[in-house]
């Protein structure tokens, strides 16, 4: 079984709809992240959480919110989806470690906003 | 602030070598390298810590010059399996990885 899972894997929605993307992990890691990937722009950090009570904005958090329901679960919400949020979204986890922080990625969710 | 990767893309024949560069304007604690195959998630290749350590993964190695805040990834005697997009990730004093835009490597038979 995969260590980091994301649901759904693909989603097509309409402008203005509320969308939730979910991430679960069995690696026992404290740190979890949400990234979006756009062609030519690499991976950009949306939100991250270093433990259940810690939530931080990344470089592109506008239009997104998150919830850390448990150590193993981290959800990303688009309150009112817009077309330029069409992208590939990745969840990632890492173990605590000041200089390591190797990230393990989920399989991704391809989101299309019409 | 994203690190800068170069080149954006490279095409190789099997057996040829290539170098991918990554530079940052910030002081770095470490540099990570990941590879992403088309339609898949990025996969960790290696990490380089302060001290200029050179690490290796198969025939892929990397170096880290902390004074210049630069890292280079060396693809030696490339194989078809090396095709993909390579990302560097830099870790500085905010403890968040910042990823470069990626370098697409195509290895042809």
């Amino acid at each position: 079984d995969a260590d980091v899972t994301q649901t759904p894997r693909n989603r097509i929605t309409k402008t203005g709809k509320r969308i939730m993307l979910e991430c679960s992990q069995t690696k026992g890691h404290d740190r979890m992240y949400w990234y979006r990937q756009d062609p030519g722009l690499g991976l950009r950090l949306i939100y991250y959480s270093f433990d259940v009570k810690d939530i931080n904005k990344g470089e592109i958090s506008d239009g997104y919110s998150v919830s850390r329901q448990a150590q193993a679960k981290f959800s990303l919400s688009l309150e009112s989806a817009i077309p330029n949020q069409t992208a590939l979204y990745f969840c990632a986890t890492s173990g605590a470690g000041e200089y390591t922080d190797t990230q393990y990625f989920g399989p991704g969710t391809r989101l299309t906003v019409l | 602030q994203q690190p800068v990767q170069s080149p954006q893309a490279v095409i190789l024949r099997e057996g040829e070598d290539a170098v991918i560069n990554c530079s940052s304007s910030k002081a770095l604690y470490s540099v990570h390298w990941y590879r992403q195959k088309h339609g898949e998630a990025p996969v960790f290749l290696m990490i380089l810590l302060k001290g200029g350590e050179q690490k290796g993964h198969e025939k892929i190695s990397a170096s880290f010059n902390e004074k210049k805040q630069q890292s280079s990834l060396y693809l030696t005697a490339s194989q078809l399996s090396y095709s993909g997009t390579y990302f560097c990730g830099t870790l500085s004093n905010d403890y968040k990885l910042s990823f470069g835009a990626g370098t697409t490597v195509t290895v042809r038979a």
Side-chain angles (χ1 to χ4, degrees), chain B residues 26-81:
Chain B
K26 301 167 76 171
L28 301 177
Y29 290 143
S30 63
V31 178
H32 301 220
W33 286 96
Y34 292 77
R35 179 172 64 200
Q36 184 180 29
K37 301 278 189 176
H38 183 69
E40 299 179 7
V43 174
F44 172 76
L45 290 177
M46 66 187 74
I47 181 173
L48 299 112
L49 305 177
K50 283 198 300 186
E53 291 184 65
Q54 201 156 358
K55 299 284 188 179
H57 172 85
E58 300 172 345
K59 288 184 180 177
I60 300 173
S61 61
S63 63
F64 175 29
N65 185 326
E66 64 192 80
K67 289 183 180 177
K68 292 185 177 180
Q69 294 138 218
Q70 294 175 346
S71 178
S72 295
L73 187 74
Y74 305 96
L75 307 181
T76 305
S78 57
Q79 306 169 13
L80 294 175
S81 62

Side-chain angles (χ1 to χ4, degrees), chain A residues 37 41 48 99-100 103 106, chain B residues 2 32 34 36 41 49 87 96:
Chain A
Q37 185 175 37
L41 294 178
Y48 64 104
Y99 297 109
T100 54
Q103 310 232 330
Chain B
Q2 282 185 295
H32 301 220
Y34 292 77
Q36 184 180 29
L49 305 177
F87 295 97
K96 303 191 306 288

Side-chain angles (χ1 to χ4, degrees), chain A residues 31 33 35 37 40-45 48 50 57-59 88 90 98-103 105-107, chain B residues 1-2 29-30 32 34 36 39-44 47 49-50 87 91 94-102:
Chain A
R31 300 179 177 189
Y33 310 80
Y35 294 92
Q37 185 175 37
L41 294 178
L43 294 153
R44 292 183 293 167
L45 185 63
Y48 64 104
F50 281 179
K57 292 183 178 181
E59 54 187 304
L88 184 57
F90 285 104
E98 193 169 310
Y99 297 109
T100 54
D101 223 33
T102 299
Q103 310 232 330
F105 287 84
Chain B
Q1 201 167 6
Q2 282 185 295
Y29 290 143
S30 63
H32 301 220
Y34 292 77
Q36 184 180 29
E40 299 179 7
V43 174
F44 172 76
I47 181 173
L49 305 177
K50 283 198 300 186
F87 295 97
L91 188 71
D94 55 6
Y95 303 113
K96 303 191 306 288
L97 271 186
S98 291
F99 287 94

Side-chain angles (χ1 to χ4, degrees), chain A residues 50-61:
Chain A
F50 281 179
D51 64 42
V52 175
K53 297 180 181 178
D54 176 77
I55 302 287
N56 302 282
K57 292 183 178 181
E59 54 187 304
I60 54 163
S61 59

